[in-house]
Amino acid sequence: MLIFPWPPLNSHIRIVYQDSMLFRRKKPATLSGRLREFLWPRKGFSRGVRYLSMRVLRLSSSPHSIAVGVAAGAASSATPFIGFHILIALAVAYLLSGNLIAAGIATALANPLTIPVILVATYEVGVVMLGAGGSGALTGEEIVNRLSHLELAHLWEPLLKPMLIGSVPIAAASAAVFYVLAFYAAKLFQSRRQVRRSGKAQHRTAGSANGL
């Protein structure tokens, strides 16, 4: 019987453990530090925005499909349905034959920094559209507190109804703006990528011809 010189299993575990220790934080992050990192990353939001933008532009779909997905995500993010944005975006993108991945990524427009602004904007626009005086100007924090502590019956008339009505024009405007931006960005990115691929193909063809 042949015996292969495999190292014992515990040696592999020890190597993985040592590697994980090598890249582990020297000082464990505290709860406040994790919260601060979530609300304001150390490397800023610009890097995250660029990363998500490139993820969308590199999708293998037509510019129209990508733009429809982004528009669906942007529109759902402009509604007060916190926690259901991605479900709404996926449903709308599916019905309109948009890219589902682009729709899901675009819902990142609703984040801890923008959600209070979105809530206030939908409420204020809804109050104006209804022609009601409302209960005075509300901040994002006040709206969140009311949504968390009051019952639906007490929320509908003074808060939810204006927010739902006000979200309609805001969602429509967001969808239109982000559709145009995403369509032309995707079209430009794909055309440039096609030019680069054509140049590389011509370079390889020329190199093969010279080799002969």
Side-chain angles (χ1 to χ4, degrees), residues 80 82 111-124 136-149 155 159 163:
I82 302 173
N111 54 70
L113 289 180
T114 60
I115 285 177
V117 179
I118 292 171
L119 294 179
V120 172
T122 55
Y123 174 77
E124 293 295 339
L138 297 177
T139 64
E141 183 179 359
E142 290 172 342
I143 292 177
V144 171
N145 288 335
R146 291 192 180 190
L147 292 174
S148 303
H149 296 92
L155 287 173
L159 194 63
M163 291 173 66

Side-chain angles (χ1 to χ4, degrees), residues 26-142:
K26 293 183 179 180
K27 184 178 180 181
T30 61
L31 179 60
S32 60
R34 292 177 181 177
L35 180 61
R36 184 172 60 253
E37 179 71 15
F38 175 73
L39 296 175
W40 191 267
R42 288 177 298 173
K43 297 181 180 179
F45 286 97
S46 59
R47 183 175 181 179
V49 171
R50 288 197 299 269
Y51 172 76
L52 293 178
S53 300
M54 293 306 298
R55 284 291 304 273
V56 170
L57 295 177
R58 288 173 178 169
L59 294 173
S60 57
S61 296
S62 67
H64 172 71
S65 178
I66 293 174
V68 169
V70 172
S76 67
S77 299
T79 64
F81 299 109
I82 302 173
F84 298 94
H85 289 157
I86 190 168
L87 297 178
I88 298 173
L90 293 178
V92 174
Y94 178 79
L95 292 175
L96 299 179
S97 300
N99 189 282
L100 299 183
I101 298 178
I105 293 176
T107 57
L109 292 169
N111 54 70
L113 289 180
T114 60
I115 285 177
V117 179
I118 292 171
L119 294 179
V120 172
T122 55
Y123 174 77
E124 293 295 339
V125 173
V127 168
V128 173
M129 294 179 64
L130 290 172
S135 56
L138 297 177
T139 64
E141 183 179 359
E142 290 172 342

Side-chain angles (χ1 to χ4, degrees), residues 56-64 66 184-197:
V56 170
L57 295 177
R58 288 173 178 169
L59 294 173
S60 57
S61 296
S62 67
H64 172 71
I66 293 174
Y184 286 104
K187 188 175 182 180
L188 179 62
F189 180 85
Q190 292 182 4
S191 63
R192 289 181 176 179
R193 182 170 57 183
Q194 185 62 34
V195 170
R196 289 195 300 269
R197 289 179 176 177

